[in-house]
Amino acid sequence: MNNKTVSERLKYLRSINKKTQKEFAEFLGIPQPSMSAYENGKNNPTIDVLIDIADKCKVSLDWLAGRSDYTLGLSSMRDFVLFMYELAMKKEIGFEIIVEDKFPNNDIETDENKWNVKLVFYGNDKEHAFNADVCNILKELSDNLFDLESYSITKEQFDSMKNKSVEYYTLPLTQKEFEELSRDEILKKRIEYLKENNLL
């Protein structure tokens, strides 16, 4: 485990959470002098402390310890489920989920009519500030994947383009916030929603 990497990643986590060192230490349940030593690279957190930080900040332990460049690891379908739910809760990114599972001929799936689900990101979505970036990233990924799979570029070139994109897009994402409501308040809001969307 690299002290410098851990300290840099702790500082990064603190900055995206918009906390002072004292506030971040309190949030993590770590004494401030220990946090200062971790951020300055003088001491390394124990494995238990690293696990706790990773859990509280919702990042992968491998990323925090400098073993991976991915903040969130994707090594199983469980990780994919967590990633999709996490993505859905970000303020700056919005998408529509379109499920196409109804077909002519008594709902029989054919080669022409395949069950599918699409995630649609609208680049000009004013409510989600990073949607245009998402569209640009996915367009670039599509182009680069095509080039890699058609042998126009090497895997090394593909990785280089990926790394350039990773370095460019560093703006932090924040969580959507939902207020705690009583059952009656939820029912009232539900009726309002249905009326506003002409569903009632």
Side-chain angles (χ1 to χ4, degrees):
M1 183 165 55
N2 184 325
N3 282 19
K4 186 171 184 247
T5 303
V6 172
S7 70
E8 287 171 355
R9 295 194 172 175
L10 284 172
K11 288 177 196 170
Y12 172 76
L13 287 174
R14 181 162 61 84
S15 72
I16 65 169
N17 282 283
K18 297 184 172 132
K19 293 186 184 295
T20 65
Q21 192 177 78
K22 182 180 179 190
E23 291 168 339
F24 195 50
E26 287 172 1
F27 167 70
L28 296 173
I30 296 169
Q32 186 177 358
S34 297
M35 178 56 69
S36 177
Y38 299 156
E39 285 193 3
N40 292 325
K42 291 178 181 171
N43 290 336
N44 255 337
T46 65
I47 190 67
D48 289 339
V49 170
L50 282 172
I51 290 169
D52 194 45
I53 293 170
D55 288 345
K56 286 179 179 170
C57 294
K58 295 184 170 85
V59 295
S60 79
L61 187 57
D62 281 349
W63 176 82
L64 187 56
R67 295 186 62 210
S68 166
D69 288 333
Y70 304 110
T71 315
L72 177 70
L74 271 176
S75 59
S76 69
M77 286 305 290
R78 177 185 180 277
D79 294 338
F80 178 74
V81 171
L82 290 169
F83 170 76
M84 290 307 303
Y85 272 83
E86 187 71 20
L87 182 61
M89 296 306 292
K90 296 305 176 193
K91 284 183 190 175
E92 296 83 5
I93 297 174
F95 54 89
E96 182 179 349
I97 302 172
I98 301 171
V99 180
E100 295 182 356
D101 60 354
K102 303 284 187 232
F103 309 107
N105 306 322
N106 299 323
D107 295 333
I108 297 172
E109 185 174 359
T110 65
D111 286 342
E112 292 79 33
N113 294 308
K114 294 183 180 179
W115 179 61
N116 66 83
V117 177
K118 297 174 184 170
L119 297 182
V120 179
F121 298 88
Y122 297 101
N124 63 351
D125 185 341
K126 291 181 174 67
E127 291 181 25
H128 300 99
F130 294 168
N131 267 27
D133 292 316
V134 170
C135 292
N136 287 328
I137 291 164
L138 293 175
K139 164 86 171 72
E140 182 181 291
L141 173 59
S142 175
D143 292 345
N144 292 342
L145 270 175
F146 176 80
D147 288 346
L148 179 65
E149 291 169 353
S150 64
Y151 303 97
S152 298
I153 60 172
T154 65
K155 178 67 166 64
E156 186 179 334
Q157 289 170 312
F158 178 84
D159 289 340
S160 174
M161 287 183 249
K162 176 188 76 174
N163 291 336
K164 189 183 289 185
S165 189
V166 167
E167 291 299 317
Y168 181 77
Y169 292 102
T170 59
L171 292 170
L173 297 171
T174 57
Q175 288 288 106
K176 290 179 183 173
E177 294 177 14
F178 293 91
E179 55 188 321
E180 292 291 326
L181 300 171
S182 69
R183 180 156 174 73
D184 289 341
E185 290 170 322
I186 290 171
L187 289 172
K188 182 181 174 188
K189 293 245 182 208
R190 175 71 178 155
I191 291 167
E192 288 171 7
Y193 174 85
L194 293 172
K195 284 181 181 175
E196 286 172 11
N197 291 280
N198 297 317
L199 299 171
L200 194 65

